[in-house]
Every structure is written in C-alpha cells, then in structure tokens.
Amino acid sequence: MKVLVAIKRVVDPNIKVRVKADGTGVETANVKMAMNPFCEIAVEQALRMKEAGTVTEIVVVSIGIPQCQETLRTALAMGADRGILVETNVEVQPLAVAKVLQAIVAKESPGLVILGKQAIDDDCNQSGQMLAALLNWPQAAFISKIELASGHADVTREIDGGLENLTVMLPAVVTTDLRLNEPRYVTLPNIMKAKKKPLEVIKPDALGVDVTPRLTTLKVQEPAKRGAGVKVADVAELVNKLKNEAKVI
C-alpha cells in the first residue's frame, strides 16, 4: 500500500517567534526553519508501517516556496521514498492545501493519507478534515495509535473525555497527535542518500487548483505581557486583590 504524507515548513519550534514591525505577520527572514513537529510524527508513523511490512511506498508532499525542498529532503533522509513540491509563493490557506492534496491523491492513488493534526504557525487544524470531506473518505483526527489490517485501520484518537477507538475503512485520511510516536533522528549517511532520491516540483496550475488566498490577515500582534506577581500578607488581602484588581471573583 502506498502512503501519502503531507508536511509543512515552519519556524523552528525552538526559536522565539517575533512579529514584524508593521504587524503584517511573523518575521521569517534569517530565521531557522524546520519541519512542523506534527508532520514529523506523520512521517515517522509511515516509516514504522513500512518497516512492519504493511506499507510499500511513502510519498511526501509539501506546498510552498522553493525552500520547502529542504524540508522534503529531511523527510527523504528519514526514510521516505519520493518527494513532491507544489511550488508557490502565495500564502496557502487550509482550503487551498486540501484542494492541492486532493489533486495529488488523484494523481498518486494512495491507500492512506497522513497529516499532522495542525501546523504550529497558524494552528488552523483544518486541512486534514477538509481533505477527507473533498475526497469523501473516512477520517480519524488526533490519533495516538493506528494499526493497519486488511482493508481497514484500527485507530485510537484523543478526545476531551479520554480515548476513542475507531475502525475506518481504507482509503482514509488520518491526522497525528503528539503521543503517536517519537520521530527518529536523521543520520548523516541518510542525508547524503536523500540527495539522490526523486523530488518532483510542480505548480498548482498544473494540478488545476487555484491557491489564491480567501482570507485576509488584518493584523498580527504579540500577546500582552504578564504582570509580575506580588506577595500578600494574608487571605483577606488576597481576596481583596482577586475581587478588586484581578476581578475574577
């Protein structure tokens, strides 16, 4: 079975994010970029399935600027077989992502599509669900466990009240949660091997998809700074501050 894994290039999660001076977005110039952590988990899960013998080929796809090839090469170094970059300089929003992936699915015919549950830059948590709707495929979001069987997948997904066990028929779309696995480190020999693996670059127009943004960002700003804590002499003073200053009681 072929598995398609969607990955995204984001600001490295270990870097402090800074807002542009004009408030139009987040500063990315001269900032270290990396693969979205949830996407790393998705790639790792596909690799484990291949190592278990239930998956024969792993295709990774990314949408964005030419530098996204670096992110795809990281996934190839982890062990993916092929990469596809849908190259565009336009800000690609969730619905456009889902439409592009729908076209890639039609082209590649995978038996399973794995995405991270959300990207850490916009936190939209929409692309996987939109893709499943466009394909009219079963979906399971926020999975913490998955086992492939003949024609279906048994998954455990994280919900507010605990865990939910589902069986979804294949082909299907799943999105990964943090507790699904721990992604492997990329070794230098595999980085060198990844340079020789095939990486296809195509444009959205070639897929018949319009990625023009439908939403406009009005302003981006940092959250308000938290005030310093203070010590109180007794319970009466604490209650007074909670009531009259914090206004939470």
Side-chain angles (χ1 to χ4, degrees):
M1 183 179 71
K2 182 191 295 186
V3 170
L4 182 72
V5 183
I7 62 177
K8 187 175 184 182
R9 179 178 183 263
V10 299
V11 175
D12 189 293
N14 299 310
I15 299 296
K16 179 177 174 57
V17 176
R18 300 185 184 280
V19 175
K20 291 181 179 178
D22 58 5
T24 58
V26 172
E27 186 60 65
T28 57
N30 301 317
V31 173
K32 183 181 179 183
M33 307 296 282
M35 189 189 306
N36 179 50
F38 291 104
C39 298
E40 281 189 301
I41 294 170
V43 174
E44 175 64 28
Q45 189 57 42
L47 295 174
R48 294 188 184 190
M49 290 175 176
K50 185 176 181 181
E51 291 167 352
T54 54
V55 167
T56 55
E57 184 181 22
I58 301 169
V59 181
V60 289
V61 57
S62 188
I63 309 165
I65 60 177
Q67 288 85 340
C68 290
Q69 290 190 41
E70 300 170 9
T71 310
L72 286 167
R73 291 293 180 193
T74 299
L76 295 174
M78 290 176 70
D81 299 296
R82 290 191 289 120
I84 300 173
L85 172 61
V86 182
E87 186 179 312
T88 176
N89 291 318
V90 173
E91 176 196 358
V92 186
Q93 295 173 349
L95 181 58
V97 170
K99 289 182 176 180
V100 169
L101 293 178
Q102 180 189 21
I104 295 293
V105 167
K107 178 173 177 285
E108 294 289 337
S109 300
L112 180 69
V113 180
I114 310 177
L115 303 88
K117 72 171 185 177
Q118 64 197 80
I120 62 171
D121 51 3
D122 55 23
D123 270 341
C124 282
N125 179 22
Q126 296 174 341
S127 296
Q129 294 88 328
M130 287 178 172
L131 175 61
L134 290 172
L135 293 171
N136 197 27
W137 282 9
Q139 64 169 302
F142 324 131
I143 65 168
S144 57
K145 184 179 180 182
I146 180 170
E147 293 181 0
L148 296 181
S150 178
H152 69 273
D154 297 319
V155 302
T156 300
R157 59 186 300 265
E158 301 193 357
I159 58 176
D160 290 341
L163 301 176
E164 180 180 42
N165 296 316
L166 297 174
T167 296
V168 293
M169 302 305 294
L170 298 177
V173 177
V174 298
T175 69
T176 62
D177 214 327
L178 280 173
R179 280 155 289 280
L180 180 59
N181 60 52
E182 182 72 29
R184 66 194 65 189
Y185 287 103
V186 179
T187 62
L188 182 58
N190 286 336
I191 292 174
M192 302 305 294
K193 291 177 183 177
K195 294 181 179 180
K196 298 181 180 180
K197 290 185 177 181
L199 197 162
E200 180 183 4
V201 179
I202 56 179
K203 300 288 186 180
D205 292 345
L207 298 172
V209 179
D210 179 12
V211 295
T212 303
R214 294 166 177 253
L215 305 174
T216 302
T217 300
L218 300 179
K219 186 178 181 182
V220 177
Q221 62 185 52
E222 294 184 6
K225 296 185 181 299
R226 297 179 60 181
V230 295
K231 291 184 178 181
V232 294
D234 50 36
V235 174
E237 185 181 354
L238 172 62
V239 172
N240 179 62
K241 286 185 176 292
L242 291 175
K243 185 176 182 180
N244 299 314
E245 293 184 17
K247 300 185 183 301
V248 294
I249 59 174

